Amino acid sequence: MSFATIYRVFFKRNAVFVGTIFAAGFVFQPLFDSGITSWYEAHNKGKLWKDVKAQLQLVGDEEAADDE
């Protein structure tokens, strides 16, 4: 596919160009978001609330059992 073909298909008419930008944005945003979220969760494993919550509930249950 040459640059002339790409130009003719996507960039020659403004409405098609804008539509291409919007379509690319709608596709790119969820892919980028899920990728960054996966990286962030892997990078901060053990420090996030979803990881710490279970540990805190276990400690709270043990303290409640000790009080009884």
Side-chain angles (χ1 to χ4, degrees):
M1 191 177 246
S2 69
F3 289 117
T5 305
I6 293 172
Y7 173 78
R8 238 183 289 116
V9 172
F10 294 111
F11 301 122
K12 190 169 186 178
R13 296 188 61 212
N14 190 44
V16 176
F17 176 67
V18 170
T20 302
I21 297 299
F22 276 102
F26 281 114
V27 170
F28 179 74
Q29 189 270 334
L31 294 174
F32 183 79
D33 187 44
S34 64
I36 293 297
T37 300
S38 298
W39 173 82
Y40 181 81
E41 289 176 354
H43 186 70
N44 292 301
K45 191 172 187 124
K47 297 183 265 184
L48 299 174
W49 173 247
K50 67 180 184 174
D51 300 328
V52 175
K53 182 179 178 182
Q55 295 172 355
L56 293 177
Q57 286 177 339
L58 288 175
V59 171
D61 292 342
E62 291 172 1
E63 288 177 359
D66 291 341
D67 292 341
E68 294 175 356

